């Protein structure tokens, strides 16, 4: 009797489940960003964001990851070369530019993922922020240096304050 009752319940649950469409998986921007990170960034910065000491800087708990978005966007768009200090260690290497490979949406997604992973807790990067920096730096062919990125005009995102944009999280320009 128990087997029959169990069988009937299984059939009823299966019929009920079949009458509803399966839920659609909605990719969050961080899911897309994580996929891009895993495909493009892990070789140097490692799956845990810790980098390779003395060779490739960490992104985990790196002070500049959570600071001004404009600087971070510039690095991804045009690359970076030369000495830089991260978490008390000096690195002297080169990061390739990704601006010709990744779209504004992809850069926003991967930076949002980085800024919210491994102990980082910073607001998301929006597609229009990447677009504004791309337009403002159009024609740049050289990678950035620490000295370049220390200048006030290279820190912020052109067009609005970071506080203003972060109050509009979820705007229609996001993935």
């Amino acid at each position: 009797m128990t087997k029959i009752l169990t069988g009937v319940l299984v059939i009823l649950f299966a019929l009920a489940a079949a009458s509803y469409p399966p839920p659609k998986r909605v990719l969050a921007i961080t899911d897309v960003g994580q996929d891009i990170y895993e495909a493009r960034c892990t070789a140097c910065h490692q799956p845990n964001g810790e980098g390779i000491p003395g060779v490739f800087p960490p992104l985990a708990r790196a002070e500049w990851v959570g600071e001004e978005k404009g600087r971070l966007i510039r690095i991804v768009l045009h690359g970076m070369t030369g000495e830089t200090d991260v978490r008390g260690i000096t690195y002297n290497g080169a990061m390739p530019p990704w601006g010709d490979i990744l779209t504004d949406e992809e850069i926003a997604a991967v930076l949002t993922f980085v800024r919210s992973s491994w102990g980082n807790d910073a607001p998301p990067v929006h597609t229009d922020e990447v677009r504004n920096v791309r337009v403002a730096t159009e024609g740049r062919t050289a990678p950035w240096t620490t000295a370049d990125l220390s200048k006030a005009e290279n820190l912020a995102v052109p067009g609005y304050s970071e506080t203003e944009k972060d109050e509009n999280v979820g705007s229609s320009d996001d993935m």
Side-chain angles (χ1 to χ4, degrees), residues 53-70:
V55 182
F56 300 113
L59 301 175
R61 299 173 319 282
E63 57 278 356
W64 50 269
V65 168
E67 292 174 352
E68 293 86 357
K69 295 177 187 181

Side-chain angles (χ1 to χ4, degrees), residues 14-39:
L15 289 172
S19 66
Y20 294 98
K24 293 182 180 178
R25 183 169 190 266
V26 178
L27 288 178
I29 192 168
T30 53
D31 291 337
V32 173
Q34 182 174 2
D35 290 345
I36 295 166
Y37 181 86
E38 289 172 358

Side-chain angles (χ1 to χ4, degrees), residues 5 9 27 43 50 55 62 77 89 97-99 124 141 145 149 153:
L5 184 57
L9 288 174
L27 288 178
E50 287 295 335
V55 182
L77 284 171
I89 298 174
W98 292 98
T141 57
T145 66
L149 293 169
E153 67 267 18

Side-chain angles (χ1 to χ4, degrees), residues 27-133:
L27 288 178
I29 192 168
T30 53
D31 291 337
V32 173
Q34 182 174 2
D35 290 345
I36 295 166
Y37 181 86
E38 289 172 358
R40 305 278 186 183
C41 310
T42 57
C44 297
H45 297 291
Q46 301 298 291
N48 61 2
E50 287 295 335
I52 298 174
V55 182
F56 300 113
L59 301 175
R61 299 173 319 282
E63 57 278 356
W64 50 269
V65 168
E67 292 174 352
E68 293 86 357
K69 295 177 187 181
R71 174 176 30 205
L72 207 54
I73 295 167
R74 283 171 175 80
I75 292 170
V76 175
L77 284 171
H78 302 289
M80 186 173 175
T81 190
E83 286 190 0
T84 189
D85 290 331
V86 180
R87 291 182 12 200
I89 298 174
T90 300
Y91 294 86
N92 189 5
M95 178 169 158
W98 292 98
D100 290 340
I101 297 166
L102 299 175
T103 66
D104 295 348
E105 292 82 8
E106 291 169 325
I107 292 172
V110 74
L111 290 178
T112 295
F113 170 73
V114 167
R115 287 168 57 93
S116 64
S117 299
W118 318 298
N120 297 324
D121 184 23
V125 173
H126 302 274
T127 301
D128 63 336
E129 292 173 310
V130 177
R131 186 179 316 112
N132 285 5
V133 172

